[in-house]
Amino acid sequence: MENCIFCKIINQEIPSYRVYEDEKVYAFLDISQVTKGHTLVVPKEHVADIFEYEEDLAAKVFARIPKIAKAIEKAFPEMEGLNIMNNNKELAYQSVFHSHIHLIPRYSKKDDFSIHFGDHTGKYSTEEMTAIANAIKEQVK
Ligand code: AMP
Ligand code: ZN
């Protein structure tokens, strides 16, 4: 897609620190290394976000994640964890609208990365939980 920075990276029109490539995906270092080895995995086909994936493309792209995760772990054995993140839409912190999966190795609790879920157990009643589950269930195709 025109004017898509990640399409340009995939097409070698702008440089990147490539770590893996095959017919379906391109993986490269995030220019802003939250931690050492922070890698982005992108489908070569332009899809803006998770809502645009066909099942087959998702299967192929997400199937590559363990291979790349294992490579990062082997490259940096001092790593003690790995967060996998995929932001969708601006509210959820997506800033590049070519879908990508962040692999963020974790070395220390003091690195500049955090996810805070909090504990919301009990927020909804049993009936409300059932209604929420049903609302989604009815839409799964
Ligand atoms: P997100 O905020 O989830 O959309 O993530 C987009 C990521 O793309 C950010 O972490 C940026 O640092 C990264 N990024 C933007 N431009 C480039 C680039 N030219 N090369 C590598 N990473 C980039
Ligand atoms: Zn693109």
Side-chain angles (χ1 to χ4, degrees):
M1 176 179 263
E2 231 178 289
N3 286 330
C4 170
I5 190 163
F6 287 177
C7 282
K8 286 183 180 160
I9 285 176
I10 292 161
N11 295 328
Q12 317 289 323
E13 289 165 37
I14 60 172
S16 68
Y17 298 94
R18 182 177 51 152
V19 302
Y20 176 77
E21 180 177 13
D22 63 27
E23 75 285 1
K24 286 288 166 195
V25 306
Y26 191 91
F28 57 105
L29 294 186
D30 194 305
I31 201 72
S32 168
Q33 291 278 283
V34 173
T35 61
K36 184 178 63 182
H38 177 184
T39 297
L40 300 175
V41 182
V42 305
K44 284 192 168 172
E45 180 182 333
H46 180 97
V47 285
D49 54 39
I50 197 73
F51 306 106
E52 289 193 356
Y53 280 81
E54 299 288 348
E55 207 167 296
D56 185 54
L57 180 64
K60 292 196 165 108
V61 172
F62 287 86
R64 266 65 167 186
I65 301 295
K67 185 205 296 275
I68 299 164
K70 287 173 197 173
I72 295 171
E73 190 190 33
K74 279 196 173 154
F76 306 114
E78 69 274 29
M79 172 187 124
E80 291 188 14
L82 180 78
N83 286 103
I84 298 177
M85 279 193 70
N86 168 235
N87 299 330
N88 297 280
K89 311 277 186 201
E90 211 171 331
L91 183 74
Y93 308 123
Q94 185 174 7
S95 62
V96 176
F97 296 92
H98 179 133
S99 179
H100 50 279
I101 299 143
H102 293 261
L103 275 60
I104 305 173
R106 304 297 304 282
Y107 304 93
S108 152
K109 284 188 177 165
K110 292 188 192 127
D111 57 31
D112 189 24
F113 179 85
S114 70
I115 307 178
H116 179 72
F117 282 167
D119 181 5
H120 300 276
T121 315
K123 183 195 257 176
Y124 295 107
S125 67
T126 308
E127 293 73 25
E128 287 169 325
M129 291 292 269
T130 304
I132 293 166
N134 285 341
I136 300 168
K137 205 187 293 180
E138 283 161 16
Q139 298 300 331
V140 177
K141 295 198 173 84

